[in-house]
Amino acid sequence: MAGRNRLPRGGRVDRSKSVSIAFNGRTLAGFAGDTVASLLIAHDIHFVGRSFKYHRPRGFLSHGSDEPNALLSVDRGPGKIDPNNRATVAEAREGLVTHSQNHWPSLDFDVGAINDVLSPVFVAGFYYKTFMWPRRFWDSVYEPKIRAAAGLGRAPTEPDADRYANRHAHCDVLVVGAGPAGLAAALAASETGKRIFLADEQAEMGGTLLHDRTSMIDGKPAQDWVAEALAELRARGNVTLLPRTTAFGYYNHNHIALAERITDHLADAPAHMPRERLWQIRAAEVVLATGAHERPLVFADNDRPGILLAESVRAFINRYAVAPGRRIVFVTNGASAYAAALDAADAGLDVTLVDIRPEGDCGPELAALRAKGVTALTGHTVLAATGTRRVTGLAVAPVSPEGKIGARKILAADCVGMSGGWTPSVHLFSQSRGKLRFDPALDAFVPDQPVQATRSAGAANGRYDLSEILAEGFAAGSAAAGDSATRTFAATPTPTGFLPVRALPTDADPARIKAFIDFQNDVTAKDIHLAVREGFESVEHVKRYTTTGMATDQGKSSNMNALGLVAGILDKPLPTVGTTTFRPPYTPVTFGTLIGPSRDALFDPARKTPIHGWAEEQGARFEDVGLWKRAWYFPRGDEDMREAVARECAAVREHVGIFDASTLGKIEVVGPDAAEFMNRIYVNGWLKLEPGRCRYGLMLKEDGYILDDGVVARLAPDRFHVTTTTGGAPRVLAHMEDYLQTEWPELEVFLTSTTEQFAVIAVQGPKARDLIAPLVTGIDLANDAFPHMAVRTGFICGVPTRLFRVSFTGELGFEINVPADYGRAIWEAIFARGAAFGLTPYGTEAMHVLRAERGFVIIGQETDGTVTPDDLGLGGMIARTKPDFVGKRSLARPDLVAPGRKQLVGILADDPTLLLDEGAQIVADRDQPIPIHALGHVTSSYWSPACDRSIALALVESGRARIGSEVFVTTPSSFTKATVTAPSFFDAEGKRVHA
Amino acid sequence: MLLIPCPYCGDRPEIEFRGGGEAHIARPRDPQAVDDQAWAEFLFYRTNPKGLMAERWNHAHGCQRWFNALRDTVSDRILESYRMGEKPSGGGSS
Ligand SMILES: [Zn+2]
């Protein structure tokens, strides 16, 4: 059964292919080419959901993407439940399962509908007013009750099972919208041979012509003209057609984002196909042929199911061959609804038309309609709709030009088609930052000065006559392609023009009626009045206070009515009240489309060292450091983290440990001026550092604060091996390149990132030398020949190595740099020898503990971008005799030499078992009146196996002068007493590294 | 997303670049000879104009070169780009 409202003939649906869908458990039949909306209308179903705030019954308002009411949840299987689908956009396909939303327990019996009765409570600014009402209402009423009742569809609870794709493209001309203007533009542009994209949000291209039964273009029926235009475009190799593709974002430099729907309309989508695709198109020129939106009329209960926009009634009849009702009353203030009324009458439906304008202001279409035998009342207003779950009629009355309301009568109806005029769809033009101009003759904002290479054509530009639309589209397309061709089209004249009305004249108390402006956010004319009465005059403020235009439809149908109403109440010209700013997306876009393949393992690149696999096999726990995956600790048996870290630390202090330091940033600085360059970039002196020696380098930003640190080895007079922090490598390279290219272009130096070229194996502990000695050739490892802070090149296991004698643990140590591809083999060779030495792999957590015990800082942990070398007690590293280096001048800035700066110290809690919180505040006196002055904060805090107690590093005001004094440190509930110490807790003199 | 003309590589999308702030702010030749106020202005004071602005860009995920571009901060139009050490051709006609 195709539905009792299916018209016997006509329409663009394919009557040879039937499809059936489920709506709230009922199976309903329709045809291929139906939308969910047209299929439901075929079965005389209009009541398909309840509204956001008042839970009022709602039906379809429109037939397209501007639909505010008919939002359905679509269930395509596990992980594929998708709320808030516009029924007017969703294509009907075999087996589609849909549900209505925003009601409990059912659509027909909804507890939330009590809100409609309580509506005096839910006035404009309701959410703001809750802040002023009694505090206890929050707990008893707002939070539990209102939150439960608010919202539209329910968000899916399972991960999205679909796949989404992403594509970039370039073209000469992108035409958005494939109605008459867009088709003409694409035809003209593609004649030049340039590369053209034509995108349209609908399944079928043709726009309004798809529901135009009567217009002729160049002697052909409009729909035949569409078919020929599309055939022509398809035949041209330089044209790409993108149906079901919504241009939703217009960004800088003609960068357009589009969402293409690929499989939702297919009953059996092949598994390899993505559900949707995000297109990012960079177009040399753009033609916006995005059409116009029809405005609803504002009268009491204008939201009843069965009340649609007039053009939508026409589209359902002509394009989908369904009758939205058998007895239709059209209400209009302009010419366009007459075409809808004529089509409805031709379809054999009972039609009445009510025109608000006086008889003398109506056009020749009035006589044409009456000649068809249709009753047309002019100079009448609508006082209210009757019916609740479906409109049953309209109360209408004559209204004099002075606004005097005459005797009312009821026109019975099961469908109303209303038309309040048209609003050009300027959303994308506005997103492109183009300026809008108010055209009083059109009662609308139209595109004025573009900022980007963009043109508007057709209804989007305020043209409503078909011949003009086609000619303007053609000229725009040609101009966009760099040509200047024009063409005239012989098309049936389109009746145009309307008399702007805001709320329809009524004799009812305006405070007692609900005349909806914004259907999706349930904003009424009364709410707008209240907002203005409470002092909101700018439309941007009224918008936020009442939420009008702020729903997912972005007020496509409501904005101009709201604006006009505000202007009318204030008695100001409409443009002075302002227009709204349009922001992407034009219509809602799924998160899946935006994310594309960037989820799960592909969410972020994972950087792994050459030794990663070994650590994984050993059961290491990993932590993320930037994009790197670093081995955090290596638990044995059922050890917890603290036990494992304590064991790893003890092994390094007593025997020897092995650590993967491959993530260290590395930069090769090479060239005749390399030493001079280093001298200018670092605070340290480099000219006298001999090849074969290393130095701990400190680098400042020009403002005097520490940027990065790391050991630097001089391999040759003109070659430095620079290391940086793991996270700092790109930042440091960019900083170096900046100065080299822009400040000192005369220096002959080359910078090369070598981070991923070397694997770095740190071997640390008293037995480190004995462990590696037999593996190393070409290097004398004896203490005198190869002292602490030396570097040598040679071989390990026959592989070339840059061997550093350095330590970040405070123990005798080596960092073995080998070509990355040999990293794991060398690591395993060392490990294989390790058993006799008690060799233990350790992770980043033990590394942190070991360095903190010695008081070595980590840039980014002890520093935060406002810390100087002296603050860390590293002032002695500065080569003060150098005339200049980056940041030197700033170190003399008044605030950087002022007393009372925060300095690095150690903090020992009086309770040695208490681990202080990193970030905890430090105060001198816990009993100070609030606000207590904070002296500083804890930067690092660990359990120290070597000290057998907790230790912490901190930045504290005048910290070095406070050593030995007592402070208080915040805990989650209170304060704890602690003592300030020097920032080193183990081997403070640093003797062990020289062993 | 801006389409930025790298003088070495041609038009490339903004994600390949790192911004470097206002251009043509010369580092004093002898910073130690500059007083605190002048040094603070060099470090922190920027014109932040509404309209044409010369700014530094680094083609970080490309050729690694720093260069300058003339951008209209209202429309985001980039009128031209030019190499370090060069002056804009005069642009600013719009
Ligand atoms: Zn480049």
Side-chain angles (χ1 to χ4, degrees), chain A residues 251-253 255 282 433 451 702 730 734 737-738 741-743 883-886 888-890 893-894, chain B residues 1-3 13 18 27 31-32 34-36 39 42-44 56 64-66 74-78 84:
Chain A
Y251 304 95
N252 277 320
H253 298 181
H255 177 227
R282 188 77 75 164
R433 301 205 224 172
V451 168
E702 196 69 274
E737 284 286 1
D738 189 355
Q741 292 179 33
T742 71
E743 296 295 342
D884 189 21
F885 57 81
V886 176
K888 178 180 166 91
R889 173 64 185 81
S890 288
R893 285 161 60 205
Chain B
M1 191 189 300
L2 302 177
L3 193 64
R18 178 194 300 265
R27 187 173 189 267
Q32 315 317 313
V34 174
D35 70 27
D36 283 340
W39 185 252
F42 160 70
L43 283 179
F44 303 121
R56 291 150 27 89
Q64 292 275 357
R65 303 300 298 265
W66 281 90
V74 178
S75 67
D76 271 329
R77 265 187 65 201
I78 295 178
M84 281 296 161

Side-chain angles (χ1 to χ4, degrees), chain B residues 6-10 12 16-17 59 62-65 67:
Chain B
C6 171
Y8 304 93
C9 307
R12 293 288 189 277
E16 295 185 9
F17 296 84
H59 196 184
C63 65
Q64 292 275 357
R65 303 300 298 265
F67 61 92

Side-chain angles (χ1 to χ4, degrees), chain A residues 80 93 262-274:
Chain A
K80 299 185 175 186
R93 58 119 171 111
I262 299 172
T263 58
D264 273 7
H265 64 288
L266 301 176
D268 296 298
H272 70 274
M273 284 172 80

Side-chain angles (χ1 to χ4, degrees), chain A residues 32-291:
Chain A
D34 266 323
T35 59
V36 171
S38 68
L39 193 150
L40 293 175
I41 287 174
H43 293 271
D44 205 35
I45 297 172
H46 277 268
F47 174 22
V48 293
R50 285 188 179 266
S51 70
F52 182 61
K53 197 157 69 175
Y54 301 128
H55 287 234
R56 284 166 69 99
R58 287 286 166 80
F60 314 99
L61 178 69
S62 85
H63 66 288
S65 67
D66 51 357
E67 173 61 35
N69 288 335
L71 303 180
L72 302 181
S73 177
V74 170
D75 183 348
R76 293 176 295 112
K80 299 185 175 186
I81 297 173
D82 197 23
N84 299 344
N85 281 267
R86 286 150 295 164
T88 51
V89 173
E91 295 172 57
R93 58 119 171 111
E94 186 58 35
L96 191 71
V97 177
T98 66
H99 294 277
S100 54
Q101 303 180 155
N102 205 30
H103 49 68
W104 185 85
S106 75
L107 185 61
D108 284 331
F109 302 98
D110 172 46
V111 171
I114 191 75
N115 289 359
D116 198 17
V117 182
L118 291 176
S119 61
V121 176
F122 296 94
V123 292
F126 164 75
Y127 294 101
Y128 299 100
K129 283 167 179 155
T130 60
F131 293 116
M132 295 184 277
W133 292 344
R135 169 68 183 84
R136 64 193 157 75
F137 267 49
W138 268 104
D139 304 323
S140 57
V141 181
Y142 304 140
E143 191 61 26
K145 304 276 171 19
I146 294 172
R147 180 161 297 208
L152 289 165
R154 239 175 251 154
T157 53
E158 287 174 59
D160 191 339
D162 277 306
R163 215 165 54 73
Y164 299 83
N166 191 342
R167 190 177 292 178
H168 293 260
H170 295 259
C171 65
D172 295 304
V173 181
L174 167 65
V175 180
V176 181
L183 287 172
L187 284 169
S190 57
E191 275 172 14
T192 64
K194 292 200 169 178
R195 195 161 170 218
I196 314 300
F197 273 65
L198 174 61
D200 190 274
E201 63 180 355
Q202 297 201 46
E204 220 184 333
M205 291 189 163
T208 53
L209 298 181
L210 297 176
H211 64 254
D212 191 330
R213 246 175 10 94
T214 43
S215 293
M216 303 288 284
I217 300 173
D218 290 344
K220 283 173 279 216
Q223 297 188 29
D224 293 355
W225 183 87
V226 169
E228 285 176 27
L230 285 171
E232 178 67 37
L233 291 170
R234 264 185 219 108
R236 293 180 182 172
N238 57 334
V239 179
T240 303
L241 298 179
L242 292 175
R244 297 190 177 89
T245 304
T246 305
F248 65 82
Y250 197 135
Y251 304 95
N252 277 320
H253 298 181
N254 274 2
H255 177 227
I256 320 289
L258 308 92
E260 181 185 7
R261 305 185 304 279
I262 299 172
T263 58
D264 273 7
H265 64 288
L266 301 176
D268 296 298
H272 70 274
M273 284 172 80
R275 180 186 176 209
E276 294 176 357
R277 176 180 291 129
L278 175 70
W279 285 84
Q280 295 187 65
I281 297 182
R282 188 77 75 164
E285 296 275 343
V286 173
V287 177
L288 296 174
T290 47

